[in-house]
Structure formats: structure tokens, C-alpha cells
Amino acid sequence: MKKIVLPTISAIQEEIIGEFQTLEGDRERMLTYIMDLGEQLAPMDTLYKNEHNTIQGCMSKVWLTYTRQEDRLFFEGDSNTAITKGLISLLLRVLSGQTAEEIIHANLYFVGKIGMTQLIGSQRSSGFANMVKEMKLIAIAQKAERGA
Amino acid sequence: MLNASLMSATPPHNIIDIQKIREQFPALHQHVHGKPLIYLDNAATTQKPQAVLNALAHYYQHDNANVHRGIHTLASRATAALETTRHSTQQFIRAADAAEIIFTAGTTASINLVAAAYGQAQVQAGDEVIISHMEHHANIVPWQMLCQAKKATLKVIPIRDTGELLLPTLEKLLTPKTKIVAISYVSNTLGTINPLKEVIQQAHAHGAIVVVDGAQAAPHLPIDVQDLDCDFLAFSAHKAYGPTGVGVLYGKRALLEDMPPYQGGGEMVREVTLAHTTYNDLPYKFEAGTPNIAGIIAWQEALNFIRQIGYKNLRAHEDELLTHALDLLGNLDKVRIIGTAPNKIGMLSLIIEGVHHLDAGMLLDANGIAVRTGHGCTQPLMDFFGIEGVIRASFAIYNTKEEVEQLAAGIARIVQQKT
Ligand SMILES: Cc1ncc(COP(=O)(O)O)c(C=O)c1O
């Protein structure tokens, strides 16, 4: 079995913070950057874009699925808007491929550091929080299942 | 791409001084994300002139008292001011009688009042209510609720690709069973001005009454309810430079007299015993509870503002902005204009191929430009055009050609970067 070697959650967050620093707080550049990330995200198979995989409470439509390999979780996500896709892409970069344990305890401080709430507004931020919550719930459920 | 010569076209001499008007609107003078605010979401709600803000504060600072109830000085001042506004509102829409002006919380509340009270009394199983395909949800859902409760049928006037009513179909939809035709004067997504007089004449010829959603008309067109001969008219103060939480329901006196009350409570009664209640005269019969006194009194200042400018000037200015916007955006690649009726108000809805409206809205907001993005509470209309939502810029008297140019430049940039 090949061992998966991934940067830690904090290392990835530092990377993201660094990338946003180069945008110098320029709102339009930050949004465009996030949208570009969204456009690069591989689209999800429409098969998975169903009610079951829909995350509630987001302004845009958001779908999330996952697969498990050993104790690691691999997420896939999509949205109908580029900005939300970009936000998903950031989340996947940080959390996808990590262990359930790490996901459950992840402190996503990069969100505050890059000024996400000011950037996307409170309504979208709560949608973003719902995405994080959903990923953590999946991790909790998976951990419980494996432990059982 | 944008035509440079159009961008620098010198504006023709204006009879009204837009800069002077802008000075009356404190909220316009601010920066959003470091850019000067360009407020183009006027169809959702307009900004308020200083006189309206002053009137709100003045009422609470000096005259605050409940209306129609006290004999003390403050109560009579507040009551007098509120009734003055009722008379001004009567003149504003040329109603025959001030008793025909009922103050509500807004267009939505006004339409619900008619659907519940008139509908309850007049619509029976098997009857029909007709709406159009371009209605705001506020002029759809109350009728659906009524039809469901009464086992009546809801019929829909179809529209053309231009966003105009397919008027010839109305004649076929109307039957002796049709009790109500509910229709907007002006569409809040397309800007289309509907041929109301024709609709009303046809409906009346078949014995149906007509309820007009005037929410988008009041800020742009002079309304004459007697000339139109509409039976009910609803609109909101906040879309016409007035405060939020104030709406108007006009109804023909005879219909209002016949109509059972909507909500029960104080103000709407003459005498209450535990066994029986007699109702107050019009318009109080339909104004249960304490109204938005401050808002209604301040609405007077919005009426003054509109009167001072005059609808002719308003329309001329807003038309000029629309023409300018169409010159700049009408032929832009990847941009599709939704709503191309020749007779429309100063409003422009569009979609950018390959760019979600929410993404476009965020990018415009980053440049200080406020537009509406989404279905605009007209989901059936979005279905008709096969789209999910639009980017809507709606103009008011205080908008400038420079702002329209900024909007066009913002959209052109999105097209360039994102498609
Ligand atoms: C055509 C139309 N009808 C009804 C409404 C509802 O108005 P309000 O929210 O003020 O009740 C609106 C406002 O968006 C509108 O544009």
C-alpha cells in the first residue's frame, strides 16, 4: 500500500495566505482570483449533483461528495457560481485527503487571515460555514464508522 | 467593445440640475470598497432625500403620539399630519376621495388585503383569476393562495419574447367566470409598461375587476386611477423616495364599502361588545392597529419631492440614461438584454453568457456598483426566458450618465476577463 504524503493543514493554509498577500487586499483581484480557482476545479459528474449531496443554506447551489481511502477522506465539490466554486476549491485544497481526525480538529484560520467575511459578505460566509460544517460532520461519521 | 465616442458624448442641456438633486440624498455620498457608490438598484428601493429623513426624525422628536385616539395636542398634530398625507396621496394618484386611500405596510400587504378580503367575499369555486406571466411573486402567490382555498382557477396572460403582454390572448382568457384580473402596471424585471387601459376595458367588459400592482409605476409614471378606471391599485412608498413600511391600497369606494374587513383590532371598529362589533368607516375599516405613523408622515416629503421634479423631467432623465446604457451595452458581445419592449421605464436587465449573475454582481460590487442580481422575485418570468436570473440596473432621478458609463465599463470588463 502506497503511503499518501500530504502537506499538513497548516502548511496549506500558510500557502493560501501567502497567495492572497500578493493580491494586496484589492477586492476585485481577490474575487477574480477565487473565480479563477473555481474555474480550474474539475466539474463534478452531474450524477452526483442531486438533492442528497446538496448543501443547504448557501446562496448558490452547492454539491459535495466524498470517498474514503483508509482513514483519509477525499472530497469533491461543485457549484453553479464561479465564486462559490473557488471557495470550495480552497476548502478542498486544505481538507481533502486529510484524515478524518485532522478534519474534525482543523482550525481554518486562513479564512480570517485572508479577510474572507469582508470579501464575500455575511450571507455567503454563513454558506461557507455550512460547507465546513458538512465536511466535519462527514469526518465525524466516518471516524465513528471506522471505530465501530 | 465600448465605443469611445459614446463614452465622451456631451450631455444635452438639462432642465433639471442632477448634481443639486444628488445633494439631497446623503446615502449617495459614500464610498463602497474604496470606490464611490453607484447605486443602480432603485427598483428594489430608492434612496431617501434629506427632507424625508428630517420628517422621520421630526415626528419622533416633536409630535410622537398615537393617531385618531387622543384629544391631546401631540395626538392631534400627528393625526393631522397623517391625514394630510392621505389627501396628498389621493391627489398623487388622482383618486376621487381620500377615503379610498388605505395605508398598509407595502405593495405586498396591499395585494394580500385585496386577495383575502375581496377574494373571500367574491370568489367562489369554479371562478377564475387572471394574472400575467411577468408578475412579481407578490402578485402571484396571494392569488394562488386564494384560488387554492376557493377551488378557483388561476389563468395566465402569456408574454412575447420582447417582454410584452400577448394582449390578444386576454380576450380568450376572459369568461363570465372571471372575477379578478391582477396585473402590474410596470414589470419590475423587464421595465415593460403594460397597456393597462386596454386590459382594464376588456376585463370590465366581462364583468371582472382589475387589481393593479403599481409598485414600479409610482416612481416613474403619473398615475390617474380614475382615468385608468382600475378597481384597486397597490404600491410602496419606499420605491418612490419614501420610507420603508408604508404602502398604499387604493380601492373604488363602492368596492371597499362592500368588502369585509381584513384584519380585526383597534381603529377599524366603531363599537365593540363581547357579542358583536360594528365597523368603522372607510378608510379606517381596513387600517386595524397603529399604522407606521412616522413613515406615513415622511411619505409626504417624498410626494413633495416627486411633485417638485415632475414626472416629465423624471421620465426624460431616466429615458436618457436607458438610451445611453443601451448604446453602450446593447451590442456588446456575450451580453443579452432581457426585456426589449419599446415602451419601458429606465431599467436594464441583462445576462452575460458564461458568467453567473451572482459572480457578475460581486465583481460590480467590488467597483462600488450596486445592481440587483437574481430572479427579481419573478421566477416564472425567468423560466419563460430559460434563465436563472439577471443582472438588473434600474435608474432613478439622481443617477448620472457617468454612472451608466461606469456600469457599462464594469460589465465590459467582466465580459473581457471572464468569457
Ligand atoms: C412589481 C412589484 N410588485 C410588488 C413588489 C413588492 O413590494 P414590497 O416588497 O414593497 O411589498 C415589488 C417590489 O419588489 C415589485 O417590484
Side-chain angles (χ1 to χ4, degrees), chain B residues 43-44 106-109 111 136 138 184 186-188 213 215-216 236 238-239:
Chain B
T107 308
T108 306
I111 296 173
H136 186 281
S184 50
V186 175
S187 155
N188 67 303
D213 174 350
Q216 296 298 340
S236 303
H238 72 92
K239 293 183 193 284

Side-chain angles (χ1 to χ4, degrees), chain B residues 43-45 104-112 134-139 183-189 213-217 234-239 244-247 347 372 376-378 392:
Chain B
T45 196
T104 66
T107 308
T108 306
S110 296
I111 296 173
N112 274 281
M134 68 171 83
E135 298 310 309
H136 186 281
H137 295 165
N139 203 28
I183 184 122
S184 50
Y185 199 158
V186 175
S187 155
N188 67 303
T189 301
D213 174 350
Q216 296 298 340
F235 64 95
S236 303
H238 72 92
K239 293 183 193 284
T244 50
V246 178
M347 170 187 292
R372 174 80 193 248
C377 293
T378 52
R392 181 190 70 186

